[in-house]
Amino acid sequence: MFFGLSLVWPFNPGVLLFLLLLIAFYLLGLRGLRHHPAQSDGVERRHIMAFCVALGLMALVLLTPIDTIARTQLFSVHMAQLVLLTTLCAPLLLYASPAALLRPLTELVGVRTMLRVLTRPLVASVLFNLLFLLWHAPRILHSALDNSTLYHVQVLSIFLAALLNWWPLLGSVHELRRMAYPIQMLYAFFDGQPVDIFAFILVFTGVTLFPFYAIPPELGLSTFADQAVGGALLLVPGFVDLVVMTPLFFRWLGQIEKQTKTADEERLEEYEYEEDEVQA
């Protein structure tokens, strides 16, 4: 025990299988590209590094005592676990999967149709926020905490929804991601509002919503203080959304500048053509 915190390593066969399947599909995708050298240019070492980092972080929070603490002792660690999975691991995994790697999968008729629906900005946002909030209804969360399998269904379902939620901004298959930069900025801003409101409720209501955790007395932490820390951590994705909006804004300005420059050049060419016609 460390300050009363559990050091028990959990046995999560479902999570382990999920991670092994991710590795297997990624390696199969890379192997397929080796047989098509013309398509392999899209996969670089940075993509493979991003995949390894994402998998390493997922293993850290799901297969170590961190998971035991998140499920039994501290709501704040549970929130840290989810924030790490949805705000860092999910975008890293999408970044690690360029179009050359995903296209064979997305070209399958059933998969393509499903992704077209699930990655629509409104659908992806509603699905993620609704799933996150439903899983954190007090009674449902209490049931998940009492059942390790159900708890990991909760965590992995939120993670998968986060992948869909990030797709409109980071999805590499552009046929499934067509949004102008202003729409992307609006998406990044409004998408996080429901979870942000939930976070503010956790921090400022003064009411303990989740009295189910066995907080070690050695920490000297009240149930509400633990909840408030979890709520504060849940505000981190909102700041990440602002960070994401910044490069989108500058890309939009660059696009406007490029369009303006092209229009000016076309007008200049038309003017010179008319001058030549007059002189002729």
Side-chain angles (χ1 to χ4, degrees):
M1 302 287 283
F2 179 73
F3 286 99
L5 295 174
S6 174
L7 297 180
V8 175
W9 287 71
F11 177 61
N12 301 327
V15 172
L16 185 59
L17 177 62
F18 178 79
L19 296 182
L20 290 176
L21 285 174
L22 279 181
I23 295 171
F25 282 125
Y26 198 78
L27 291 178
L28 285 173
L30 292 178
R31 183 181 178 184
L33 290 179
R34 289 179 61 185
H35 297 292
H36 300 84
Q39 300 177 12
S40 62
D41 294 339
V43 181
E44 301 176 11
R45 183 176 298 177
R46 57 192 172 93
H47 296 125
I48 298 174
M49 288 297 297
F51 179 81
C52 292
V53 171
L55 262 291
L57 290 173
M58 291 177 69
L60 176 66
V61 298
L62 293 172
L63 298 176
T64 70
I66 292 174
D67 182 72
T68 304
I69 296 169
R71 191 173 67 85
T72 62
Q73 293 185 303
L74 291 174
F75 176 79
S76 54
V77 176
H78 165 69
M79 277 301 166
Q81 184 184 48
L82 288 181
V83 168
L84 191 65
L85 288 171
T86 60
T87 309
L88 190 57
C89 294
L92 274 175
L93 205 56
L94 286 179
Y95 175 77
S97 306
L101 194 68
L102 291 180
R103 199 172 300 280
L105 179 64
T106 59
E107 286 179 349
L108 297 174
V109 177
V111 174
R112 189 178 185 85
T113 303
M114 181 177 65
L115 284 177
R116 279 192 179 278
V117 174
L118 294 179
T119 59
R120 289 176 181 172
L122 182 60
V123 174
S125 181
V126 170
L127 180 63
F128 172 76
N129 284 288
L130 189 61
L131 197 62
F132 192 97
L133 296 176
L134 281 176
W135 272 118
H136 287 91
R139 289 186 179 181
I140 296 177
L141 181 60
H142 190 197
S143 299
L145 297 179
D146 285 339
N147 186 312
S148 176
T149 301
L150 184 59
Y151 179 79
H152 293 106
V153 169
Q154 173 202 50
V155 171
L156 292 179
S157 63
I158 291 174
F159 171 73
L160 291 174
L163 287 175
L164 297 174
N165 196 42
W166 277 100
W167 185 277
L169 298 175
L170 296 177
S172 57
V173 182
H174 294 291
E175 303 93 286
L176 301 175
R177 179 172 68 90
R178 295 179 178 178
M179 284 199 304
Y181 289 127
I183 304 301
Q184 288 185 16
M185 287 187 288
L186 287 174
Y187 176 80
F189 177 76
F190 286 108
D191 175 61
Q193 296 305 306
V195 172
D196 286 345
I197 293 171
F198 177 59
F200 279 113
I201 291 174
L202 295 179
V203 175
F204 294 112
T205 56
V207 177
T208 301
L209 300 178
F210 310 108
F212 321 123
Y213 286 85
I215 302 175
E218 294 89 337
L219 293 178
L221 193 66
S222 69
T223 306
F224 178 73
D226 177 43
Q227 174 182 298
V229 172
L233 290 171
L234 194 54
L235 290 171
V236 171
F239 294 107
V240 173
D241 290 339
L242 293 177
V243 173
V244 170
M245 288 169 62
T246 302
L248 290 175
F249 176 73
F250 285 108
R251 288 178 188 175
W252 181 36
L253 289 182
Q255 186 182 65
I256 293 175
E257 182 180 0
K258 183 178 179 180
Q259 291 173 347
T260 303
K261 183 178 179 180
T262 302
D264 289 341
E265 290 175 350
E266 290 176 353
R267 282 195 294 268
L268 180 60
E269 289 176 358
E270 291 177 0
Y271 176 77
E272 291 176 348
Y273 176 77
E274 292 174 358
E275 286 291 314
D276 292 340
E277 288 289 322
V278 171
Q279 291 177 4

